[in-house]
Amino acid sequence: MENVTLKVEGMSCGHCVSTVEKAVNEAGASGKVDLAAGQVAVEFDAAKVSLASIKEAIENTGFDVV
């Protein structure tokens, strides 16, 4: 398992947190958002899902991964 922290811009509320966490989970990874820091800690199996696809899943919800 790999762990990475992604900086996500545009999150401002609980709904944003759940949207980003759901996107990460649906991409095949596990994510925990820190709203105050504007980050999501992601744990994933690189043999099953790529970091690029996780970033794309987040961006497809309207947030920017920087």
Side-chain angles (χ1 to χ4, degrees):
M1 296 298 269
E2 295 195 32
N3 294 294
V4 65
T5 300
L6 301 174
K7 178 81 173 158
V8 179
E9 291 184 339
M11 298 185 298
S12 61
C13 64
H15 179 68
C16 298
V17 169
S18 63
T19 299
V20 170
E21 289 179 350
K22 181 179 178 186
V24 170
N25 291 335
E26 288 180 352
S30 173
K32 179 66 179 159
V33 171
D34 179 343
L35 184 60
Q39 299 176 335
V40 58
V42 180
E43 182 177 81
F44 65 102
D45 183 346
K48 295 180 180 178
V49 63
S50 70
L51 183 57
S53 66
I54 295 168
K55 289 179 178 179
E56 182 180 355
I58 294 170
E59 290 175 343
N60 285 343
T61 63
F63 299 100
D64 293 320
V65 179
V66 292

